[in-house]
Amino acid sequence: MPSPTSPPQTRTSLSQEILALAIPAFATLVSEPLLLMADSAMVGHLGTRQLAGLGLASSVLNIINGLCVFLAYGTTSLVARRIGAGDSRRALAGGIDGMALGLGLGSLLAVVLNLTAPTVIGWYGAGPEVSSQAVDYLRIACWGLPMLLLMLASTGVLRGMKDTRTPLTVAVSMNLANIGLNALFMYGMGMGIRGSATGTLLAQAIGASVLTAVVLRGAVRAGVPLGVRVHGVLEAARGGIWLVMRSAWLQASLAVTVAVAARTGQVGLAGHQVTNSIWSFLCLALDALAIAAQAMVGHELGRGDAGKVRSITAKLCWWGVAGGLVFAAGLVLVRGVLAPVFTPDAEVQQLLVRLLLVLALITPIGGIVFVLDGVLIGAGDARYLAFAGMVATLAYVPMALAVDHAGRGVIWLWLAYGGYLLARVATLALRARSDAWMRLGA
């Protein structure tokens, strides 16, 4: 928070800058989980085993997406810092290197996942009926990975340039098209869960093409060569190693959560899938503040203004807590209405009403976690984030396994996940209070 002696104009300007970045980022980020919730609702009306299968396949894709999110985070902080230091051509060149890396990595992952889908789904230990649905979905959806990773990198370039409006327009248009395509293939053409995967694949191809065209057009205008620079791609890969490790610990905790939920049966896994879809919505909604933090912190560190970085961090932390409380109150009020939207199964509905109360309890904790994460990512403090992720995951896994051993079910599993968020808050706040991450300049 700015000091009491800060001039009112400075405080207002900072708030306006945060809102100008966060509001479009919020709309962009929530469009994806809204799509996931719509997809869950459509698949849920095909049957409980299809919904549970979607939960397993989505877990695999979310893990890959989470591990590769460094393509967005890394390009955001790199581009923002270089632009803050006055080197826009080098900023765009680095962003294009990240996009090339995303396309190549996504292509490799698509081939590997298509060949190993039954084995990967088998690791979750679900029954054969649920697993077959998951494999059907995954073998189609995996071919969208090159486009997905290309979108991550190109979105990061635009965010680093403080352009959150273009990703908003593309994301909303793409996700609306996705819902329509899913409905067409699932119901109109009778493809079932495979229709959902097909619609998503086509929508991702459209979104990636548009975002790539926007970035490349900007690069041409700035006089940046468009050829792939092998050394630049390798540099982007090396720079993302610590962020990959940070994400790996995060995804390990999520994978453990899904694995424990899968052992509770179809009802428990279906309830977990819907709860996780809603949690993804809340995470990404709150992550809008983290996106603003990444861009603003990167710019100000590039400019060498440590005082403004502190002001940005403090203000965003307060906003993160406030946003979490607002979403928590909303969950409590609408939990009874939400459950029937996702499934006609009365048993799953009853479970969901209780799960959403737990979700309301942990959401304010998430608000502060995402802001601090965004601040340190914007600062390029990836090595510490990897360490912090390891500590939090090692604290959480025994809690999740204890829930499984005691047969307590998914409600206790989500309470244990709240303990994981507390561990993340502790490690991130400890770092944010120091000056070790405040590296100034390009």
Side-chain angles (χ1 to χ4, degrees):
M1 181 180 297
S3 68
T5 59
S6 299
Q9 186 176 0
T10 301
R11 292 197 297 268
T12 302
S13 175
L14 181 57
S15 297
Q16 289 174 343
E17 186 177 2
I18 291 171
L19 288 173
L21 291 170
I23 291 176
F26 167 79
T28 303
L29 291 168
V30 300
S31 68
E32 181 180 348
L34 283 174
L35 167 67
L36 293 176
M37 287 192 285
D39 201 19
S40 293
M42 286 190 287
V43 173
H45 285 83
L46 293 174
T48 300
R49 63 188 176 90
Q50 286 90 343
L51 180 59
L54 176 64
L56 295 184
S58 296
S59 173
V60 175
L61 293 172
N62 287 339
I63 288 171
I64 293 174
N65 183 58
L67 288 173
C68 295
V69 78
F70 77 91
L71 291 163
Y73 292 167
T75 53
T76 297
S77 61
L78 174 69
V79 171
R81 186 181 283 265
R82 288 180 177 177
I83 288 179
D87 194 350
S88 59
R89 291 188 61 183
R90 189 161 170 252
L92 281 168
I96 292 173
D97 292 336
M99 292 167 62
L101 175 62
L103 183 61
L105 181 60
S107 300
L108 176 62
L109 289 171
V111 172
V112 172
L113 191 56
N114 185 267
L115 294 174
T116 61
T119 301
V120 172
I121 293 297
W123 291 340
Y124 287 95
E129 291 186 349
V130 171
S131 295
S132 66
Q133 295 291 323
V135 171
D136 285 347
Y137 184 95
L138 194 57
R139 276 190 156 153
I140 296 173
C142 69
W143 296 114
L145 286 173
M147 299 298 101
L148 177 62
L149 301 196
L150 183 57
M151 281 193 292
L152 283 176
S154 55
T155 297
V157 175
L158 294 171
R159 287 173 180 169
M161 298 170 66
K162 292 190 174 181
D163 177 8
T164 54
R165 294 182 180 274
T166 300
L168 166 62
T169 302
V170 173
V172 171
S173 301
M174 181 188 73
N175 288 333
L176 287 174
N178 198 345
I179 292 172
L181 289 168
N182 286 1
L184 172 65
F185 289 119
M186 288 171 63
Y187 299 119
M189 299 182 65
M191 293 176 63
I193 195 171
R194 289 176 293 177
S196 174
T198 303
T200 299
L201 172 62
L202 293 176
Q204 287 172 340
I206 295 169
S209 299
V210 175
L211 284 174
T212 300
V214 170
V215 174
L216 294 183
R217 184 175 59 194
V220 169
R221 289 176 178 172
V224 178
L226 297 184
V228 176
R229 303 181 309 156
V230 176
H231 71 281
V233 174
L234 293 175
E235 182 182 353
R238 286 194 300 270
I241 289 175
W242 289 110
L243 282 175
V244 170
M245 292 180 64
R246 166 254 181 204
S247 297
W249 288 110
L250 174 61
Q251 295 305 318
S253 69
L254 296 177
V256 168
T257 305
V258 175
V260 173
R263 291 168 61 86
T264 65
Q266 286 191 20
V267 171
L269 183 55
H272 170 78
Q273 162 61 15
V274 175
T275 304
N276 195 53
S277 295
I278 297 172
W279 174 239
S280 295
F281 168 81
L282 297 174
C283 287
L284 293 179
L286 293 168
D287 209 32
L289 296 174
I291 298 302
Q294 289 175 31
M296 294 175 70
V297 167
H299 270 261
E300 298 308 323
L301 288 176
R303 290 179 58 206
D305 193 341
K308 190 170 182 181
V309 171
R310 285 291 184 193
S311 297
I312 291 167
T313 302
K315 182 175 285 289
L316 283 170
C317 284
W318 282 111
W319 285 21
V321 173
L325 290 171
V326 169
F327 285 127
L331 281 175
V332 173
L333 291 174
V334 304
R335 68 189 189 282
V337 178
L338 277 179
V341 173
F342 291 97
T343 176
D345 190 314
E347 193 173 357
V348 178
Q349 289 180 18
Q350 293 174 4
L351 177 60
L352 276 174
V353 170
R354 290 177 288 165
L355 279 169
L356 293 181
L357 282 176
V358 177
L359 205 56
L361 181 65
I362 68 175
T363 298
I365 306 172
I368 188 97
V369 168
F370 304 135
V371 166
L372 292 174
D373 205 42
V375 167
L376 296 180
I377 287 173
D381 197 25
R383 181 177 297 187
Y384 181 82
L385 287 170
F387 167 76
M390 178 188 69
V391 172
T393 300
L394 292 178
Y396 168 64
V397 169
M399 291 188 285
L401 295 179
V403 170
D404 180 41
H405 181 72
R408 290 291 187 179
V410 291
I411 292 176
W412 280 91
L413 178 62
W414 276 90
L415 286 170
Y417 189 79
Y420 166 70
L421 291 177
L422 287 173
R424 290 190 67 190
V425 166
T427 54
L428 295 175
L430 180 66
R431 183 66 164 183
R433 289 175 62 87
S434 74
D435 293 324
W437 55 278
M438 298 271 265
R439 294 181 291 274
L440 305 179

